[in-house]
Amino acid sequence: MKLRLSIPFFCFVAWSHAAAPVYDVKAYGATGSGKTADTASINRAIDAASAAGGGTVYFPAGTFVSGSIHLKSNVGLYLDHGAVIEASADPQAYDAAEPNQWDKFQDYGHSHWRNSLMWGEGVENVSILGQGLINGKALTREADQRIGNKAISLKLSRNVTIRDISMLLCGHFAILATGVDNLTIDNIKIDTNRDGIDVDASHNVRISNVSVNSPWDDAIVLKASYGLGFFRDTTNVTITNCFVSGYDMGTLLDGTYRRTAPQAPDKGGPTGRIKLGTESSGGFKNITISNCVFEFSRGLALETVDGGDLEDVAISNITMRDVTNSPIFLRLGGRMRSPEGTPIGHIRRVNISDVVVYNADRHFSSLITGVPGHDIEDVKLNNIRILYQGGGAREQAAINPPESETEYPEPRRFGEMPAYGFFIRHVAGIEFHNVEIGYVQQDFRPPFVLNSVRQAEFDNVRGQHAADLPSFMLNAVEDFATWHCRAIPDTHLEKAERKTL
């Protein structure tokens, strides 16, 4: 049943100046009553559009209860104002998770795509648009259950656009895109109970103007898993003009922004951050993150622990308030959940600039740490201001945090920090320019601790500290220099086994 709508309406839906076929799901039997399952009707409308060579499947106002919706090439979905696609509470309404012989190399959720509210594999020229809502309240948030656990899932696809919609309580992933090239996610709002947006092993991705509230997991995360059965980097990605938070679930969309719910399951406070990793069999290259706001969430995390190379990353114009773990966390590790023989990867050529942080949790300094024999390389931090809560004890300055090189990369795994500001270990080539850190409450730890570091430069760097404490504690540091640092003369040390400044 092919419908033709007026030119003005279709211009709005399909960005065209000419009328074109639109497939109204109600014309294919959908009720939109919120009581009757509309899965078959929705898929019939998609099949009709696909058979005609493409078109827009239209959801008018109403609540359309559905199980697995099959996305197809050259077919877009448009959710009008008042339209809701609601995940069915019937586990049989979802397609079964497909087998994956490589699932031991990544979490269950990254190994399966079809157990989703909407999924497409090998599709192209697909869009999900409109002012409507995807309500995934019946999707499970656990990755190990064999029922619907994702709202939108795409695999080995290209030319995909997701724009303007809102998403609520979307299970383990609101959006999972694996091996999806030319992906645009723009102007959407996600308020969910696990991950917001996961982009995995994908090329040429644009994420912009997005708000994600995800108190129990990551908000926007890039990954490079082995879920496809081969190594594939995530490359050429921009994340810009985005907001991430860890408010109570549902309170971003309803505008109450509450902070009363229990902390995330891993006892690390609300999540809601922007992250590269943890799945990192492949690498991350040519990534920019800019003009983003973090509030009541964890900080920025760049992690590669399974063999991938993280290279050429530029991060700028970031503000954070009420940060619940490390504001800046760079981790090169050796978890190595990858095929046997995969070598430890690299982190190199990372620029972080123009960052302002207020009220960062006192239990977590910023961490930049590799592992013995594998240094993080060539990191530059410019124009950074961080104000921590403070309150650290004097005896904490003597702590030597565990290497934890094979563990899951999370700041809390390192325990209490000897520095309140930056703990830097196994790094070769790091520069700080115009960096200022301080605390609200007196802290009896130094602002900077460096262990096993080569080629470290600090220019116009200020770190608040108690009168009897140093700014820097150096252990096994080579080629260390300071310029224009308050209360510290310009210094160059060829080697410092144990020294304070």
Side-chain angles (χ1 to χ4, degrees), residues 105-107 110 195 198-200 217-218 220-226 266 273-284 298 301-308 310 329 331 333 335-338 406-411 413:
F105 297 121
Q106 57 278 322
D107 291 344
H110 289 289
D195 277 14
D198 274 43
V199 173
D200 184 6
D217 221 316
D218 299 316
I220 302 172
V221 54
L222 306 183
K223 298 192 175 181
S225 77
Y226 201 75
D266 64 2
R273 63 187 161 196
I274 297 176
K275 182 173 82 170
L276 278 61
T278 302
E279 313 289 349
S280 48
S281 296
F284 308 89
R298 299 184 190 180
L302 278 62
E303 309 166 355
T304 180
V305 296
D306 299 319
L310 191 158
F329 180 57
R331 174 57 164 164
R335 183 179 68 166
M336 305 314 297
R337 197 160 65 165
S338 289
T406 62
E407 291 191 22
Y408 186 90
E410 190 63 48
R413 302 292 179 105

Side-chain angles (χ1 to χ4, degrees), residues 398-479:
I399 291 173
N400 184 23
E403 295 284 356
S404 302
E405 57 191 279
T406 62
E407 291 191 22
Y408 186 90
E410 190 63 48
R412 71 178 182 84
R413 302 292 179 105
F414 293 90
E416 295 282 359
M417 288 286 107
Y420 80 82
F422 279 86
F423 178 71
I424 305 165
R425 181 169 61 186
H426 304 307
V427 175
I430 186 165
E431 298 179 13
F432 285 72
H433 298 277
N434 303 321
V435 174
E436 181 177 353
I437 60 174
Y439 44 71
V440 176
Q441 180 184 351
Q442 179 80 288
D443 199 300
F444 291 96
R445 296 170 292 174
F448 297 96
V449 173
L450 284 68
N451 288 354
S452 300
V453 174
R454 296 179 287 122
Q455 299 173 0
E457 300 182 6
F458 292 78
D459 175 32
N460 193 28
V461 173
R462 301 180 183 182
Q464 184 179 3
H465 59 89
D468 61 339
L469 289 177
S471 294
F472 296 92
M473 290 183 61
L474 309 179
N475 299 293
V477 174
E478 299 178 14
D479 195 6

Side-chain angles (χ1 to χ4, degrees), residues 44 104 115 123 134 144 196 259 274 294-295 299 305 318 327 358 418 430:
R44 279 197 296 270
K104 67 181 179 180
N115 55 333
V123 298
I134 296 173
D144 58 353
R259 302 184 178 192
I274 297 176
F294 297 57
E295 183 167 74
V305 296
I318 306 294
Y358 171 74
I430 186 165

Side-chain angles (χ1 to χ4, degrees), residues 22 65 87 99 148 173 187 227 237 257 259 270 279 302 306 317 349 357 370 385-386 419 429 457 463 473 486:
V22 174
V65 176
F173 302 94
N187 194 40
V237 180
Y257 311 116
R259 302 184 178 192
E279 313 289 349
L302 278 62
D306 299 319
N317 296 342
R349 298 187 300 278
V357 181
R385 300 181 68 184
I386 305 177
E457 300 182 6
M473 290 183 61
R486 179 173 292 185

Side-chain angles (χ1 to χ4, degrees), residues 51-381:
T56 297
V57 173
Y58 172 66
F59 292 79
T63 298
F64 300 87
V65 176
S66 185
S68 290
I69 295 170
H70 303 149
L71 303 173
K72 295 195 172 182
S73 294
N74 304 310
V75 177
L77 308 186
Y78 185 86
L79 284 65
D80 208 346
H81 292 80
V84 179
I85 298 177
E86 182 176 297
S88 172
D90 178 9
Q92 302 304 312
Y94 300 95
D95 296 330
E98 67 274 40
N100 189 335
Q101 68 188 85
W102 303 286
D103 60 4
K104 67 181 179 180
F105 297 121
Q106 57 278 322
D107 291 344
Y108 176 86
H110 289 289
S111 300
H112 308 279
W113 294 267
R114 298 183 181 181
N115 55 333
S116 304
L117 176 58
M118 304 179 186
W119 67 268
E121 181 176 344
V123 298
E124 59 184 70
N125 308 324
V126 170
S127 64
I128 302 172
L129 311 174
Q131 297 295 327
L133 173 70
I134 296 173
N135 188 340
K137 65 180 183 179
L139 298 171
T140 178
R141 67 187 185 195
E142 301 302 328
D144 58 353
Q145 295 187 33
R146 271 56 174 175
I147 61 176
N149 71 356
K150 293 172 280 288
I152 301 172
S153 179
L154 292 147
K155 176 184 177 184
L156 291 172
S157 299
R158 63 180 181 178
N159 305 339
V160 175
T161 300
I162 303 171
R163 179 178 285 126
D164 298 335
I165 60 171
S166 296
M167 305 181 72
L168 177 65
L169 303 177
C170 290
H172 193 247
F173 302 94
I175 299 172
L176 173 65
T178 307
V180 179
D181 296 348
N182 302 333
L183 170 65
T184 298
I185 302 173
D186 179 55
N187 194 40
I188 70 171
K189 294 180 286 293
I190 299 175
D191 200 335
T192 193
N193 39 358
R194 287 295 301 273
D195 277 14
I197 299 170
D198 274 43
V199 173
D200 184 6
S202 298
H203 301 166
N204 194 28
V205 177
R206 305 290 171 260
I207 301 172
S208 58
N209 309 307
V210 166
S211 296
V212 184
N213 182 56
S214 55
W216 276 30
D217 221 316
D218 299 316
I220 302 172
V221 54
L222 306 183
K223 298 192 175 181
S225 77
Y226 201 75
L228 298 173
F230 52 87
F231 294 106
R232 196 173 200 259
D233 294 343
T234 288
T235 65
N236 303 336
V237 180
T238 62
I239 301 171
T240 189
N241 302 340
C242 294
F243 173 71
V244 296
S245 62
Y247 306 130
D248 297 359
M249 286 178 281
T251 68
L252 172 71
L253 288 182
D254 72 16
T256 58
Y257 311 116
R258 293 195 299 270
R259 302 184 178 192
T260 61
Q263 60 191 358
D266 64 2
K267 298 180 171 49
T271 311
R273 63 187 161 196
I274 297 176
K275 182 173 82 170
L276 278 61
T278 302
E279 313 289 349
S280 48
S281 296
F284 308 89
K285 298 179 176 67
N286 288 357
I287 313 293
T288 71
I289 302 170
S290 63
N291 304 336
C292 291
V293 175
F294 297 57
E295 183 167 74
F296 192 54
S297 74
R298 299 184 190 180
L300 177 74
L302 278 62
E303 309 166 355
T304 180
V305 296
D306 299 319
D309 291 338
L310 191 158
E311 302 174 322
D312 305 316
V313 176
I315 300 167
S316 62
N317 296 342
I318 306 294
T319 67
M320 306 183 193
R321 289 180 66 88
D322 303 332
V323 180
T324 59
N325 73 358
S326 298
I328 298 171
F329 180 57
L330 275 64
R331 174 57 164 164
L332 171 62
R335 183 179 68 166
M336 305 314 297
R337 197 160 65 165
S338 289
E340 186 175 354
T342 303
I344 290 177
H346 301 86
I347 294 180
R348 51 197 173 198
R349 298 187 300 278
V350 175
N351 283 11
I352 303 175
S353 64
D354 298 290
V355 177
V356 178
V357 181
Y358 171 74
N359 197 35
D361 192 293
R362 71 177 184 84
H363 296 95
F364 305 94
S365 66
S366 291
L367 282 84
I368 302 174
T369 179
V371 295
H374 299 275
D375 291 338
I376 292 175
E377 305 168 60
D378 195 5
V379 175
K380 292 178 169 51
L381 296 97

